[in-house]
Amino acid sequence: MNERSELLRVEDLKVHFPIYGGVLGRKVGAVKAVDGVSFTIRTGETLGLVGESGCGKSTTGRAIIQLQRATAGRVFFDGTDITTLRGKALRRLRPKMQMIFQDPYATLNPRHSVGKIVGEPLKLQGLMRGKELEERVAELLKMVGLNPAFARRYPHEFSGGQRQRIGIARALSVNPKFIVCDEPISALDVSIQAQVVNLLQDLQEQFNLTYLFIAHDLSMVKHISHRIAVMYLGKIMELTDRNTLFEDPLHPYTQALNSAVPTPNPALERKRKRFILTGDPPSPANPPSGCVFHTRCPLVIDECRTQIPELREIFPGHFAACHLADSKGSSKIAL
Amino acid sequence: MDRILEVRNLVTRFYTLDGVVHAVNGVSFDLRRGETLAIVGESGSGKSVTVLSLVGLIPKPPGKVEQGAAYFRTEQGRIDLLQLSEEELREVRGGQIGFVFQDPLSSLNPILTIGEQIKETLTRHLNITGEEAKARTIDLLAEVGIPDPELRYKAYPFQLSGGMRQRVVIAIAIACRPQIVIADEPTTALDVTVQAQIIDLFNHLQQTLNMAMIWITHDLGVVAGLADRVMVMYGGRIAEVAPVDDLYERPAHPYTVGLLGALPRLDSKESKRLVSIEGTPPDLLIPPRHCPFARRCRFAFERCWREMPELTPLGPEHRVACFYDMERGGPRNE
Amino acid sequence: MAFDNLNFSHEPDSLLDKERTWGDRVRYLARLLWRDRSGVIGVVIFLSVVAAALFAPWIAPYDPLAQDLRNSKQPPVWQEGGAWDHPLGTDNLGRDILSRIIYGARVSITVGFFGVIIAASLGMIIGSIAGYLGGRVDSVVMGFINLLLSLPYLLFVVFIAAVLGRSLLNVILIFGVTDSPIFARVTRGEVLRIRRSGYVESAICAGARWPYIIVDHILPNLIGPLITLATFEMSAMIFYEAGLGFLGLSVPPSIPSWGNMLAAGRKYLTSATWIATMPGLAIMYTSLGMNLLGDWLRDVLDPRLRRSRR
Ligand SMILES: Nc1ncnc2c1ncn2[C@@H]1O[C@H](COP(=O)(O)OP(=O)(O)O)[C@@H](O)[C@H]1O
Ligand SMILES: Nc1ncnc2c1ncn2[C@@H]1O[C@H](COP(=O)(O)OP(=O)(O)O)[C@@H](O)[C@H]1O
Ligand code: SF4
Ligand code: SF4
Ligand SMILES: [Mg+2]
Ligand SMILES: [Mg+2]
């Protein structure tokens, strides 16, 4: 893995949404959806991004592929800063980075046929038309396990899993290098989730794709990712490879998330001691001072309320943003 | 252990303009006092319609409970829920049988405070004064883990988070100390952390109140730490029913095997390829004369396309509707 | 588990394999129409009113203004003293009520049609700007629109009508302007929804420019809800126009309109009820039909509901 080249570098990314209020519509505050996020993804790698809903995962993904302007920070793709691109330069970059969306019901225009949906990116990029386009669409549909005759049908005629396959075929049409998968399986039944995850893995192998895989379900993220970043209130709490994240998590929040994942093993489940977080995450419009997790952290110390913990490299390749995190295990929650 | 609910040969259909939807096709099961029965299956397999049929919540038309019986044992004796009048059912719902649905917002009234809504359930089903009901409401809010219950009594549903709302719905469900609580995908819309909170709350409530519970989900992962027995449904039929340990250790129906294989394993270091069930769920407009899973089953053989497998016992509590014997690796002997 | 290496066979869904022909589509549309019979009734009623308005001179048995004092207050045929020469009877001046109702449809349809055109155009422009630009512009514009919508609508209309005086153009303008906020609000909501919808975002990801997105994604998805709304609003305008007429605030009394007929019949409510009830029934008939039509359009124009099977 290490010898692979870096494809994407995110540096101190911030996305703040202004809140307007009052009769005059003045700015009265901001939702700090993403508040200083940094990481890198290597070619052919899958980076998992997990966290509770509202923590800023989608906004991060959208800011990376330039669907959302960043308030601050930079995103390097293949070595160039793409946050400064505009107009034609940006449109030319688009096909290299694609997105698969969470809601397969909303992402396909209900008035377009499947063929038009899958072929649209190729047509917009002026890469293909006519017969050639039709053949490519058929090939793409086959690639994602759909009948090529489906090209004439409309999205409402398909089940959730099939629609997600259509979305994947569309994203793949322009031979992207990098795909943001924004909770592509959350809306699907568990049995269908496996189909889609297998498909994504097969395609990754076949085309050497790089994924940012966003989810709130840790077990699927562990299954598909090489490394995982844990997000909370717009910040990264911990970042490491997938096995370490589950076997030796440093950050108290990661430990809590792990503890919340059910295991499909009744005997284990009965013996299991869990630490269950109480309450809900605070609002990103008014995040807590110091460590953003301090209102729910069982290990909180005075320092946490005032000092913001930096994301530090505790072990090689293992980053955590906690004052207590060290190599001696001071940040472990005792069960 | 005594049975508090016995469902026999339940058949529910929907008469729609596209045709007759065969949603539930002869389902029989028991629920015992104090146990948790999980009903598992992909969406459209008839889980919700099964339990809604029991308490008269099927929209009629287009729905119709065609046949069956559901014997509910109460202090007053044994009654068939399917024979009750709408009036009597209303007594049972919220009284002896409590409900928790997937979307808490749709089961709460947006213009009433949560306190008023819980109080209303109490005064409707129990013979108590407003004062008493208010005190009980505040106790209930505390019981389901809502902080500052006196303060939250006056809150409106929109002022609460998803997890808190689901707690309010649970408070309403357990307000009258029901003997059965039916929870239809109560955590599907929630984050894992909140899901863990809610499961924990249910486990706790069940121990203190000794109520029986039916928990509906499409995720076998959630069921392991929660259920005593599991009933797997496919195409409006029971595919397999077994005690929870049996089901995970010795799944006997190819569909159950598929559902389990679809779950990623956190306990293994190597990430193995998931086993997925290819294909799509059956079309319930066509009543199958053969095993409904045959089209997607990799063990299917000639008999599966000819006959409908009936639920047959494998062990004392383990029953499966399949002609194939996984343990031996060949057709099952009769 | 012992089953890790097994993989279930995948067989394409045979039910979806069939290709769809034009015959299938026509059959499907017919079934859709038959399924919603109230929709068919709505279409028929609406078309009948439009036809009456368009072809009034050819359909109407009499000149709507022709007085015949000898035959005044003749009851409709089904009442005693009625006759087939005036099926719905005559009014106090002996004018044929049926002819007046047929001609009255012209005023109603004109007001409804042009009123909606103006309201929809204004509303769409304002709503699209607010929805498209978003942010501060949006909150200021929508604040103003919500303020307008919170005014007591009818009182507002009556006031303007009283100030501007009686003419067809004035009525159309009043309705067009006062009704535009509703269109603005719906347009803005839809534009916002469609802009944030997954398919617009994925079009951006595919490198689409804004003109393409507006033409190919936003407009086609906007048209359905707006047509539905227009139907309901047109029905409301026809109703309100009659109301204004009844108060003597709509078109001049010389023009046959349902509202004017109602107003004229008011005096004879005890002696010759049909003079007021006939135009009243015409208003009810139209409004019922248009509401049925609107309900039907709402379903038909929403592709999400147009599913043949699941
Ligand atoms: N366009 C927007 N305008 C204002 N606030 C937004 C917008 N998009 C997202 N947010 C807010 O930003 C936060 C993070 O949202 P999101 O990135 O969607 O979270 P996640 O994907 O982790 O659930 C949330 O509080 C959300 O309400
Ligand atoms: N009101 C209804 N009208 C028509 N069909 C319905 C209705 N409710 C449920 N069904 C059908 O009954 C079947 C079973 O549904 P349900 O019990 O809700 O499944 P699930 O297992 O997901 O809870 C589905 O095919 C569904 O389409
Ligand atoms: S910095 Fe403090 S509050 Fe934050 S996670 Fe570490 S111990 Fe908990
Ligand atoms: S009966 Fe046959 S088709 Fe049905 S599940 Fe068993 S082996 Fe498969
Ligand atoms: Mg998201
Ligand atoms: Mg259901």
Side-chain angles (χ1 to χ4, degrees), chain C:
Chain C
M1 256 195 4
F3 309 103
D4 281 337
N5 56 351
L6 99 201
N7 224 324
F8 288 85
S9 67
H10 174 51
E11 176 200 336
D13 194 330
S14 55
L15 291 165
L16 282 172
D17 283 346
K18 260 196 336 217
E19 272 196 27
R20 184 166 302 165
T21 62
W22 273 105
D24 285 341
R25 282 176 211 193
V26 170
R27 249 190 307 277
Y28 184 69
L29 198 73
R31 203 169 50 148
L32 210 69
L33 274 170
W34 180 243
R35 168 187 298 196
D36 208 337
R37 267 155 280 183
S38 63
V40 177
I41 298 174
V43 173
V44 169
I45 292 181
F46 178 67
L47 290 180
S48 68
V49 177
V50 171
L54 283 177
F55 307 115
W58 294 276
I59 307 173
Y62 296 90
D63 176 354
L65 301 175
Q67 302 187 1
D68 178 8
L69 287 173
R70 273 164 308 160
N71 273 326
S72 74
K73 293 197 239 167
Q74 177 183 325
V77 287
W78 58 88
Q79 280 185 24
E80 216 179 299
W84 274 109
D85 58 341
H86 296 289
L88 299 184
T90 58
D91 67 4
N92 54 317
L93 298 174
R95 295 174 296 197
D96 179 49
I97 291 187
L98 178 62
S99 304
R100 287 179 69 74
I101 284 181
I102 292 173
Y103 271 88
R106 295 195 138 183
V107 173
S108 297
I109 292 290
T110 312
V111 168
F113 185 75
F114 289 101
V116 159
I117 295 266
I118 293 175
S121 319
L122 276 178
M124 268 176 79
I125 293 169
I126 299 171
S128 322
I129 291 173
Y132 189 83
L133 294 179
R136 191 183 300 178
V137 177
D138 182 37
S139 38
V140 171
V141 171
M142 286 330 282
F144 182 67
I145 295 259
N146 285 331
L147 188 80
L148 279 184
L149 283 175
S150 68
L151 289 174
Y153 180 70
L154 259 188
L155 220 65
F156 192 54
V157 170
V158 167
F159 176 74
I160 306 179
V163 171
L164 288 180
R166 308 181 73 159
S167 87
L168 187 62
L169 185 66
N170 281 352
V171 176
I172 291 174
L173 284 179
I174 289 167
F175 283 151
V177 172
T178 53
D179 208 38
S180 58
I182 299 210
F183 282 89
R185 193 154 74 173
V186 171
T187 307
R188 174 218 176 233
E190 287 296 310
V191 168
L192 270 184
R193 186 181 64 79
I194 298 167
R195 261 200 83 172
R196 292 207 190 121
S197 71
Y199 50 86
V200 166
E201 301 218 309
S202 75
I204 298 175
C205 285
R209 296 153 171 274
W210 275 107
Y212 170 85
I213 290 175
I214 290 168
V215 172
D216 255 57
H217 290 279
I218 297 189
L219 283 183
N221 284 292
L222 186 61
I223 243 61
L226 283 184
I227 287 184
T228 308
L229 179 68
T231 315
F232 287 123
E233 290 307 304
M234 189 165 161
S235 159
M237 282 184 195
I238 289 174
F239 197 78
Y240 287 143
E241 188 279 329
L244 283 186
F246 183 71
L247 296 175
L249 292 170
S250 183
V251 290
S254 56
I255 301 177
S257 84
W258 298 344
N260 286 345
M261 291 171 72
L262 268 182
R266 197 167 30 171
K267 274 184 266 168
Y268 310 98
L269 268 181
T270 46
S271 54
T273 41
W274 61 90
I275 302 183
T277 46
M278 289 305 139
L281 285 175
I283 295 164
M284 269 176 59
Y285 172 80
T286 312
S287 145
L288 172 78
M290 298 205 60
N291 279 294
L292 290 177
L293 177 70
D295 276 336
W296 180 71
L297 283 174
R298 177 170 30 217
D299 295 348
V300 173
L301 293 174
D302 187 345
R304 277 162 300 185
L305 298 174
R306 217 196 295 149
R307 49 159 198 243
S308 49
R309 61 165 76 246
R310 276 193 55 92

Side-chain angles (χ1 to χ4, degrees), chain B residues 299-328:
Chain B
F299 300 109
F301 57 104
E302 181 262 333
R303 186 179 178 195
C304 310
W305 290 98
R306 232 180 339 107
E307 279 176 63
M308 178 70 76
E310 295 297 324
L311 266 186
T312 42
L314 285 186
E317 304 231 31
H318 195 159
R319 291 183 300 154
V320 66
C322 176
F323 295 131
Y324 191 85
D325 188 339
M326 294 256 186
E327 306 234 294
R328 279 196 325 114

Side-chain angles (χ1 to χ4, degrees), chain A residues 236-241 244 248-252 254-255 309-332:
Chain A
I236 289 187
M237 297 287 108
E238 185 158 9
L239 173 63
T240 182
D241 66 89
T244 314
D248 197 20
L250 287 170
H251 200 284
T254 314
Q255 298 169 44
E310 293 298 318
L311 190 65
R312 292 176 294 134
E313 187 162 12
I314 313 291
F315 296 105
H318 189 166
F319 300 81
C322 170
H323 293 305
L324 297 180
D326 59 21
S327 51
K328 297 189 290 291
S330 314
S331 60
K332 299 275 173 170

